[in-house]
Amino acid sequence: MKAKTAFREVVRELEARGALATVSRQVDPKHELTAVMRQMQKGENKALLFRSVAGSDQQVVTNVFGFRSHVASALGLDEADLLSSLVQLENQRLPTERVDQAPVQEVVVTGADVDVARDIPQVVFSELDAGAYLTAGVLIAPHPETGVYNASWNRCQLVGGDRMRVRMMPPQHLGRYHQVAEEKGQNLPCAIVIGAPPGVMFSAASKVPFEVDELEVAGAWQGSPLRVTRCKTIPVDVPADAEMVIEGEVIAGVREDEGPFGEFTDGYVPVMKNHVFRVTAITRRRDAIYHAILAGGTEDLNLVGVPIQTEIYKKVSSFVPRIRDIATPGYVFGCVISIEKKSEDQSKNAVLAALAAYSWTKVVVVVDEDVNPFDAADVLWAIQTRATPDTGVYVFPHVPSYTREDVREVHRGKIGIDATVPMHMKKLFERRRFPGESEVRLEEYIDGGC
């Protein structure tokens, strides 16, 4: 299986597999598009391509990574070995390859001709959102001193004209880049990439060290050097095969009210002072596909969850050699670790390692290898039938997790649950099997089919 080097390759593959649904009727980008997306995520969970979006000449695609298997195939990896493969890949680097003729620069709009309220689909997601938001943009910038490239996901409010507002601040790496520039009294040249190659998307979501060039990491993840081209108006390299690039700079010393915005926790981020992005150019393919991600939807949780699972895998594998898989079901404040336990100490060690691996993690459940960590009902079954509350629940009071200021009080304290069977009782807890179950085709039995 080969990694995809362009976002549209992922979309085409999903279409070929029957995993992409298309909508030809025109939809309103304010709420209607999201309402359709929500219904899809509750049902078949296919990717969605909207061919006609009011106020825009661009098609809009969403839910591209609605399944974890889509993440694996985009990176050319086997889902069963996804986490161990990512651990091996993240320590590799491939220098970028500069090209002059780039698909992402087939159409160029600059200067006074730029209007983000006209040139970008105005998708409004939640009822109380302050307006249209760009949610699938990877922000790319070189460090003001070292030139090392950072890539990160940041929400952007589309104000109008050449103005946007961006959520970014330390300790996030891009926020640290801007802090360095701001201390020098300089704006930070920055590009927002929409429809980036999958390697760039996952490099941006990864937890690679601050000093590492994330465009080189992206090349390693896709198995070939990332093709980049120079922006038209700023000294920044961007993926040549992306769908769209918004060039500009994050202004030094300026903050404006941004929000509210319905975020991934299924609540709203209140109005707060955030950074201002001044657009200097918008470049794109002639037939650009605009990518929109619903915060907290299945696609968002896969894009955010897989890198977190990878970090937890690295830590836990130091203590537990046989990990079946790690899931972050629901939201990314917790994880479920399925292990093949070889000593009674391993489950508790797994809890401690997972809590230390990622600071936002506040709930860890450890289950046996016969439990599917991605099936919430199966995990709850294990807790109710195998956990021993007297000795298998570990509470760590006062330890902070999610650090957002206004809700920090709720995210204090952490908990671990050992829902594995005591080793000497393994035979007593052997799960039932039903011979022939996997071979039965129900429509052959039910009168009139099903």
Side-chain angles (χ1 to χ4, degrees):
M1 193 187 306
K2 189 178 179 182
K4 312 299 183 295
T5 57
F7 177 71
R8 57 181 46 206
E9 292 177 11
V10 181
V11 177
R12 286 183 188 137
E13 182 185 83
L14 293 176
E15 184 174 22
R17 286 165 40 192
L20 173 76
T22 59
V23 178
S24 294
R25 63 177 282 184
Q26 189 175 83
V27 296
D28 190 334
K30 183 176 181 180
H31 304 317
E32 185 182 13
L33 186 149
T34 305
V36 177
M37 182 201 319
R38 290 268 296 174
Q39 288 298 325
M40 176 59 78
Q41 291 185 341
K42 291 175 183 177
E44 293 181 280
N45 203 28
K46 290 183 177 182
L48 266 173
L49 179 65
F50 295 91
R51 298 196 181 280
S52 178
V53 177
S56 176
D57 61 354
Q58 296 170 47
Q59 298 183 98
V60 175
V61 70
T62 187
N63 210 38
V64 174
F65 298 101
F67 288 97
R68 194 169 181 253
S69 59
H70 297 178
V71 173
S73 66
L75 296 174
L77 302 173
D78 186 335
E79 186 182 4
D81 304 315
L82 179 59
L83 301 186
S84 58
S85 298
L86 290 177
V87 169
Q88 294 173 1
L89 284 172
E90 75 175 17
N91 293 321
Q92 300 178 26
R93 313 281 183 268
L94 275 180
T96 58
E97 175 188 321
R98 179 80 69 81
V99 299
D100 294 327
Q101 300 298 317
V104 77
Q105 293 177 342
E106 290 174 341
V107 177
V108 178
V109 179
T110 61
D113 293 330
V114 167
D115 184 357
V116 297
R118 179 199 64 215
D119 301 330
I120 302 172
Q122 300 295 292
V123 182
V124 181
F125 295 91
S126 305
E127 180 184 16
L128 302 182
D129 284 359
Y133 270 81
L134 188 160
T135 55
V138 176
L139 274 67
I140 293 178
H143 189 281
E145 295 175 343
T146 68
V148 170
Y149 274 88
N150 174 255
S152 65
W153 294 92
N154 303 76
R155 71 174 185 264
C156 303
Q157 184 181 4
L158 303 172
V159 180
D162 65 354
R163 207 168 189 81
M164 301 169 64
R165 300 184 185 118
V166 181
R167 170 67 170 171
M168 49 171 275
M169 59 190 57
Q172 185 195 41
H173 293 178
L174 184 63
R176 291 167 65 181
Y177 278 33
H178 183 256
Q179 187 176 51
V180 171
E182 196 167 50
E183 287 172 354
K184 296 173 178 290
Q186 301 171 357
N187 299 335
L188 178 70
C190 183
I192 303 171
V193 182
I194 302 161
V200 175
M201 290 186 177
F202 291 101
S203 177
S206 71
K207 311 301 174 188
V208 298
F210 178 75
E211 64 276 5
V212 172
D213 191 304
E214 294 190 61
L215 297 188
E216 295 184 355
V217 172
W221 282 15
Q222 69 180 26
S224 60
L226 179 71
R227 285 168 27 101
V228 299
T229 194
R230 200 66 161 177
C231 283
K232 295 294 186 180
T233 59
I234 56 173
V236 176
D237 285 344
V238 291
D241 299 305
E243 297 295 317
M244 175 187 289
V245 169
I246 303 170
E247 303 178 9
E249 53 188 4
V250 185
I251 308 300
V254 178
R255 305 291 187 273
E256 290 183 355
D257 285 347
E258 178 264 325
F261 177 72
E263 67 158 4
F264 73 103
T265 59
D266 217 22
Y268 288 93
V269 178
V271 176
M272 58 181 72
K273 296 290 185 182
N274 276 321
H275 296 74
V276 175
F277 187 99
R278 183 166 61 83
V279 181
T280 55
I282 297 177
T283 73
R284 63 176 176 87
R285 292 174 180 257
R286 287 191 182 88
D287 60 345
I289 306 171
Y290 183 81
H291 188 198
I293 295 175
L294 174 63
T298 51
E299 180 173 30
D300 186 32
L301 294 179
N302 277 322
L303 287 167
V304 175
V306 169
I308 293 171
Q309 294 159 20
T310 304
E311 288 300 301
I312 293 171
Y313 181 93
K314 284 193 295 186
K315 294 290 186 182
V316 174
S317 59
S318 300
F319 302 95
V320 183
R322 298 184 68 85
I323 301 171
R324 178 191 170 191
D325 215 334
I326 299 173
T328 47
Y331 291 95
V332 292
F333 296 152
C335 70
V336 181
I337 309 170
S338 178
I339 68 173
E340 188 177 326
K341 189 169 71 172
K342 295 301 182 183
S343 74
E344 295 296 355
D345 291 337
Q346 286 184 345
S347 51
K348 186 171 184 178
N349 283 336
V351 166
L352 294 171
L355 290 174
Y358 182 61
S359 62
W360 283 10
T361 302
K362 71 177 192 178
V363 179
V364 175
V365 181
V366 182
V367 296
D368 293 299
E369 72 274 14
D370 61 349
V371 177
N372 182 357
F374 297 94
D375 184 338
D378 211 27
V379 173
L380 189 57
W381 169 86
I383 292 172
Q384 294 187 26
T385 64
R386 295 181 171 183
T388 308
D390 275 355
T391 57
V393 178
Y394 315 112
V395 179
F396 307 93
H398 312 306
V399 183
S401 52
Y402 186 42
T403 54
R404 206 181 91 195
E405 290 282 350
D406 54 334
V407 295
R408 185 179 295 176
E409 164 183 359
V410 172
H411 297 278
R412 296 194 68 83
K414 303 195 177 196
I415 187 169
I417 300 174
D418 178 3
T420 63
V421 173
M423 293 191 66
H424 69 281
M425 300 175 70
K426 199 81 171 176
K427 190 64 180 173
L428 288 172
F429 285 84
E430 182 179 359
R431 298 187 75 166
R432 296 180 298 170
R433 291 186 176 88
F434 304 94
E437 179 183 15
S438 60
E439 287 79 36
V440 166
R441 298 179 62 189
L442 200 56
E443 63 270 20
E444 296 178 354
Y445 290 79
I446 303 300
D447 293 340
C450 56

